[in-house]
Amino acid sequence: SPVQMIDYNKGLVPAVIDDDYRTTYEIFVYSFCDSNGDGIGDLNGIREKLDYISDMGFDQLWLTPVHPSDTYHKYDVDDYCAIDPSFGTMEDYEALLQECHARGMRVLLDLVLNHTSDTHPWFRAATDYLRTLPPDQDPVFEDCPYVWYYVFSRERYDGFVPLEGTSWYYEARFWSEMPDLNLGNQVVRDEVANIVR
């Protein structure tokens, strides 16, 4: 008869954890485990499976993005400081962290910092402002600093897409709905530091 890994490993003594070496279990949150029957994986579903994951010998989770987004994959973030409602609440996320830490498990979050969603408030503010400018007028930083959060140009370079209704283009190397952040801008880097904190 087949041997279950939990039975096979039950006599093993856990090794001393060296934080330089962990065994990581990546979870695509959307499809991992649905705790509320809506057909979408969620944070509470992950919590339900922590013993199973731990019993397999994993001591670190790597979660795909959990931030609000209109897509199933969540790699186009609308809000870096919130949890997508389809995955649960911030309290659910904090409970997951607490239960992982109680088991000696770390949690890595796939934090998307290359680009945002085109519906992110920063991008909307920038594009709304650019749409108000006369064709020959340059943006003024004091009027809308969010223009410098992204890379806009009047020339179409490789990886740039047109901003509808204007003569502007913006960098979006993955997809037009994922505008690239201007990580050369210190203000953006400061925003990233705040998000990480």
Side-chain angles (χ1 to χ4, degrees), residues 119-170:
T119 59
H120 191 287
W122 298 341
F123 191 72
R124 284 191 173 179
T127 57
D128 288 350
Y129 171 70
L130 289 175
R131 286 185 175 104
T132 68
L133 291 181
D136 59 343
Q137 184 177 332
D138 288 333
V140 176
F141 180 82
E142 292 76 18
D143 292 344
C144 185
Y146 295 111
V147 171
W148 285 266
Y149 277 43
Y150 300 89
V151 181
F152 291 96
S153 172
R154 285 201 172 97
E155 294 183 50
R156 185 173 194 167
Y157 297 110
D158 182 45
F160 281 62
V161 295
L163 176 60
E164 189 177 318
T166 74
S167 60
W168 291 94
Y169 299 89
Y170 61 93

Side-chain angles (χ1 to χ4, degrees), residues 38-182:
D38 66 357
I40 297 172
D42 49 51
L43 298 173
N44 288 330
I46 295 169
R47 284 175 56 205
E48 290 176 6
K49 300 297 182 182
L50 287 179
D51 288 336
Y52 165 75
I53 294 168
S54 181
D55 287 344
M56 287 191 296
F58 293 98
D59 55 10
Q60 184 165 269
L61 297 183
W62 171 9
L63 305 182
T64 56
V66 297
H67 301 102
S69 164
D70 291 335
T71 60
Y72 71 95
H73 54 73
K74 310 299 179 199
Y75 279 91
D76 49 343
V77 176
D78 282 329
D79 182 352
Y80 286 104
C81 297
I83 300 297
D84 193 279
S86 64
F87 292 165
T89 65
M90 186 61 75
E91 291 75 21
D92 296 332
Y93 180 70
E94 290 168 354
L96 173 63
L97 291 179
Q98 184 176 12
E99 289 194 30
C100 284
H101 294 163
R103 290 171 171 81
M105 299 173 78
R106 288 189 176 177
V107 178
L108 301 178
L109 186 59
D110 201 337
L111 182 61
V112 183
L113 298 173
N114 179 71
H115 51 262
T116 68
S117 167
D118 65 342
T119 59
H120 191 287
W122 298 341
F123 191 72
R124 284 191 173 179
T127 57
D128 288 350
Y129 171 70
L130 289 175
R131 286 185 175 104
T132 68
L133 291 181
D136 59 343
Q137 184 177 332
D138 288 333
V140 176
F141 180 82
E142 292 76 18
D143 292 344
C144 185
Y146 295 111
V147 171
W148 285 266
Y149 277 43
Y150 300 89
V151 181
F152 291 96
S153 172
R154 285 201 172 97
E155 294 183 50
R156 185 173 194 167
Y157 297 110
D158 182 45
F160 281 62
V161 295
L163 176 60
E164 189 177 318
T166 74
S167 60
W168 291 94
Y169 299 89
Y170 61 93
E171 188 173 19
R173 299 214 172 249
F174 283 102
W175 176 34
S176 64
E177 294 182 23
M178 291 181 173
D180 291 4
L181 285 167
N182 178 6

